[in-house]
Amino acid sequence: MVIDYARMGRMSPAIEDSAGPAGQAVANDYDGFAEAYAAETEANLINGYYTRPAILDLAGDVAGRRILDVGCGAGPLLAALREKGAVVTGVDPSVKMLDLARQRLGEGAALHQAGLGGGPLPFPDGAFDDAIVCLVLHYLEDWKAPLADLRRVLTPGGRLIVAVNHPLVYKLLYPDAGYFAIREYSEDYTFSGQSAVLTYWHRPLHAMTDAFTAAGFRIAVISEPRPAPGAHELFPDLLKEADSTMLCFLFFVLEAV
């Protein structure tokens, strides 16, 4: 099982939490492990040297662009985008994650408690030039309404930058499972010594691309990036099998048409 890679990604909750038996971790309970998660993922391989650098590289020159970060968590991506001159807004379902983001960005930061799959985003049509949805969509069974809402809040020609679990990861984790069915699965994690359960929806690549185009997006880029410079020196043990990190996540740049 690919634990070092597939279990260390930055993800944000977008499905309803459900209480379990006493002593059992609650699925996708980011309020319950916000500080532990933020501490562990601040500068680790998957977040600090893989997903965030890849998103920033795909975003390119963002000076003056109005950017929405959906599932912003503790705000590291928002901070990096703001340093590059973007006008940033963040949303996340977790109150505690937003508190951490506010500590990082300041009380005047544009942060809202909201997520995908729970009703329309609290913004008018065409409010943003770019929207970033980093490791959020794979929490959702149905992408139709969330993608339509993301298209709504973007200007014509605006970009949606997406990172999702690579569909091949599901087959690596569960070799006997079918690839083409959309199905739910859960994984146990430990963040800074604290147990957590995250629940996802696997979908094959064609289901992703079909959903994007049906929502009014043109696929401009599909990327399977390498880790950022310095990763091999800082994480030699995790990167012994270099190709493994290429299978963790899949990145898209989509243009609103």
Side-chain angles (χ1 to χ4, degrees):
M1 185 173 288
V2 185
I3 296 176
D4 285 334
Y5 304 131
R7 295 188 174 191
M8 293 174 63
R10 167 67 183 100
M11 305 170 189
S12 296
I15 62 174
E16 291 294 324
D17 296 340
S18 58
Q24 180 176 318
V26 177
N28 304 330
D29 180 23
Y30 275 82
D31 278 333
F33 55 81
E35 291 186 0
Y37 179 87
E40 176 139 334
T41 60
E42 182 69 26
N44 65 351
L45 169 61
I46 291 300
N47 304 99
Y49 286 83
Y50 186 40
T51 55
R52 281 200 298 273
I55 290 289
L56 291 170
D57 183 61
L58 290 169
D61 182 5
V62 297
R65 295 184 71 84
R66 300 165 300 164
I67 300 181
L68 173 66
D69 183 5
V70 178
C72 65
L77 183 58
L78 285 171
L81 291 165
R82 189 171 70 176
E83 287 177 4
K84 291 178 175 291
V87 180
V88 298
T89 300
V91 298
D92 200 286
S94 167
V95 172
K96 290 189 177 179
M97 281 292 192
L98 290 174
D99 287 343
L100 293 173
R102 227 169 253 111
Q103 292 173 28
R104 182 193 301 266
L105 299 167
E107 286 297 327
L111 298 169
H112 306 266
Q113 186 183 9
L116 296 178
L121 292 167
F123 308 108
D125 296 359
F128 300 100
D129 302 303
D130 300 318
I132 294 173
V133 185
C134 185
L135 306 180
V136 174
L137 284 172
H138 47 223
Y139 283 89
L140 299 171
E141 179 181 11
D142 185 1
W143 287 11
K144 183 177 180 180
L147 287 176
D149 200 35
L150 288 165
R151 172 64 187 85
R152 178 187 65 79
V153 301
L154 285 170
T155 59
R159 300 179 303 172
L160 174 61
I161 303 174
V162 172
V164 292
N165 282 348
H166 199 298
L168 288 182
V169 168
Y170 181 71
K171 285 298 290 181
L172 290 173
L173 291 170
Y174 306 102
D176 296 331
Y179 170 79
F180 290 101
I182 297 175
R183 61 181 65 214
E184 186 180 32
Y185 68 102
S186 297
E187 291 292 324
D188 298 326
Y189 294 71
T190 301
F191 298 121
S192 299
Q194 186 170 347
S195 297
V197 176
L198 298 181
T199 298
Y200 318 111
W201 286 88
H202 161 77
R203 62 197 344 104
L205 178 59
H206 77 86
M208 297 181 189
T209 57
D210 288 353
F212 293 145
T213 55
F217 291 100
R218 182 181 73 85
I219 300 172
V221 176
I222 299 178
S223 177
E224 297 169 303
R226 295 185 177 278
H232 284 272
E233 290 74 22
L234 289 170
F235 307 98
D237 293 336
L238 291 178
L239 291 172
K240 283 179 180 177
E241 298 180 12
D243 286 345
S244 297
T245 57
M246 303 309 101
L247 297 177
C248 285
F249 306 116
L250 195 58
F251 297 77
F252 299 87
V253 178
L254 312 166
E255 295 177 353
V257 297

